[in-house]
Amino acid sequence: PHAYWEAAWWHTPQVENIESLLAWVRQRYNVDEARTYVTGISDGGTGVYFQALREPNRWAVCAPLNGHPLVLSNRDARIDGNLYLGNLASCPLYIVNGDRDPLYPAASVAPVVAAMRAAGAVPVFLIKMNAAHDTRWWPEERASYEAFLHAHPRAAHPDRVTWETDRVDRFNRARWLVIDALGSRPTDRTLPDVNRATDPDGTSVAIFPRRRQVPSGRADVVRIGNRFEVETRGVAQFTLLVSPSVIDFSRSVEVVVNGRRVFEGSLTRDLAALMRWAARDDDRTQLYGAELHVQVP
């Protein structure tokens, strides 16, 4: 369940390993990209949280069972870098915990789930009554679990994305948003810090410690037709990957960042960009006809 001491489910090599395994399967079988899910039990469930926080782009649903996100806050977990709770909004969550689980009781997970909701995530949180750290409840839960998965195919081009990161070499992408450079700007918005939860006694506590004292950047983007409305904090440059599936290339495209129009005009279909991202993603539903590079004013 832990995977391996030198590469647990919450270490970067396992993110790469799972990506490689998924790529291997998809190259050999006709996998539906819109219905690819990640789930796990106990440490595997905690690993699902890590996947959602780091690299959610492949998954239609992230379903941690009997896991606990606060394991990732433990120094002994040896997490590489910082984690940002708001990134969980990028993957629908189906969470199950037992109320009598001696390791991860549902009552200790509940405050973090409340913080997830405040951060923009919409988790389904199920508490199994009289359940310990096991899955004896699975026969009664299976139908609801599978119904949730089937009801949540992955949207290849969601109209809202949000992402926060403190690095731009990797873990800097949410679907069609790529954060390319960090740095404060005069137009920065005061986007709230969503890294706090409230204990049952009313005490506010940090969820994930900041292991690296480095500034992060966050971008929230809403697409309405051919218009992109962006709010940023600590982001100097980003890229919008533009798909002809949702953008009308025959009409003008507009980008507004922190209340200022930074781009308005037509886009030219870019075959090189299409091929570059198609090779990288290997995803028939997620094709981009152009890249739009944006400097934050």
Side-chain angles (χ1 to χ4, degrees):
H2 189 77
Y4 173 54
W5 175 246
E6 294 300 324
W9 294 125
W10 43 82
H11 293 156
T12 297
Q14 289 293 8
V15 176
E16 298 168 344
N17 182 37
I18 291 172
E19 286 184 337
S20 297
L21 290 169
L22 183 58
W24 186 92
V25 172
R26 285 167 54 160
Q27 288 165 9
R28 288 161 176 79
Y29 300 94
N30 185 25
V31 173
D32 186 347
E33 295 94 337
R35 296 191 178 277
T36 302
Y37 313 94
V38 60
T39 190
I41 301 169
S42 188
D43 279 349
T46 301
V48 171
Y49 285 116
F50 189 75
Q51 284 283 331
L53 289 160
R54 281 282 199 249
E55 197 68 57
N57 297 306
R58 299 290 190 187
W59 312 117
V61 170
C62 299
L65 311 178
N66 291 350
H68 204 310
L70 291 187
V71 171
L72 304 176
S73 68
N74 191 323
R75 186 175 298 275
D76 291 339
R78 298 179 291 120
I79 300 297
D80 176 21
N82 295 326
L83 301 173
Y84 300 98
L85 189 72
N87 290 349
L88 291 178
S90 298
C91 188
L93 296 165
Y94 191 94
I95 303 168
V96 181
N97 286 94
D99 68 332
R100 296 189 179 181
D101 187 330
L103 296 178
Y104 308 137
S108 69
V109 179
V112 187
V113 172
M116 293 176 192
R117 294 191 174 111
V122 189
V124 169
F125 180 42
L126 300 177
I127 300 175
K128 307 308 293 184
M129 304 307 295
N130 302 314
H133 195 71
D134 55 49
T135 55
R136 294 179 184 177
W137 42 261
W138 176 246
E140 68 182 47
E141 184 60 34
R142 178 175 179 174
S144 297
Y145 174 94
E146 293 182 349
F148 183 87
L149 265 57
H150 287 295
H152 290 79
R154 189 197 63 172
H157 311 286
D159 56 9
R160 292 175 178 267
V161 294
T162 180
W163 197 251
E164 184 169 1
T165 185
D166 55 34
R167 56 192 296 182
V168 296
D169 58 329
R170 65 173 309 157
F171 305 139
N172 61 327
R173 177 186 176 192
R175 302 295 175 85
W176 43 265
L177 166 69
V178 183
I179 296 176
D180 299 312
L182 302 174
S184 60
R185 287 291 185 267
T187 60
D188 276 2
R189 297 301 204 206
T190 307
L191 300 178
D193 182 4
V194 294
N195 188 43
R196 305 197 70 80
T198 302
D199 279 347
D201 63 2
T203 304
S204 178
V205 296
I207 297 173
F208 299 124
R210 296 295 176 247
R211 295 178 173 84
R212 297 193 305 168
Q213 296 302 314
V214 294
S216 67
R218 173 179 159 187
D220 296 356
V221 191
V222 177
R223 187 189 67 246
I224 306 171
N226 271 31
R227 176 185 170 94
F228 294 89
E229 297 180 357
V230 189
E231 288 191 323
T232 66
R233 170 183 43 78
V235 174
Q237 182 178 339
F238 61 89
T239 297
L240 300 175
L241 304 176
V242 184
S243 172
S245 297
V246 291
I247 295 296
D248 185 351
F249 275 64
S250 67
R251 296 173 50 239
S252 178
V253 173
E254 181 181 17
V255 180
V256 176
V257 180
N258 298 334
R260 301 188 184 186
R261 183 182 293 108
V262 298
F263 178 84
E264 186 172 19
S266 60
L267 293 178
T268 302
R269 294 177 184 266
D270 185 343
L271 180 60
L274 172 67
M275 298 301 293
R276 181 165 56 253
W277 288 102
R280 184 177 304 181
D281 291 342
D282 188 24
D283 189 325
R284 297 163 294 184
T285 70
Q286 198 168 268
L287 301 174
Y288 304 108
E291 298 172 326
L292 187 52
H293 304 289
V294 179
Q295 296 281 345
V296 176

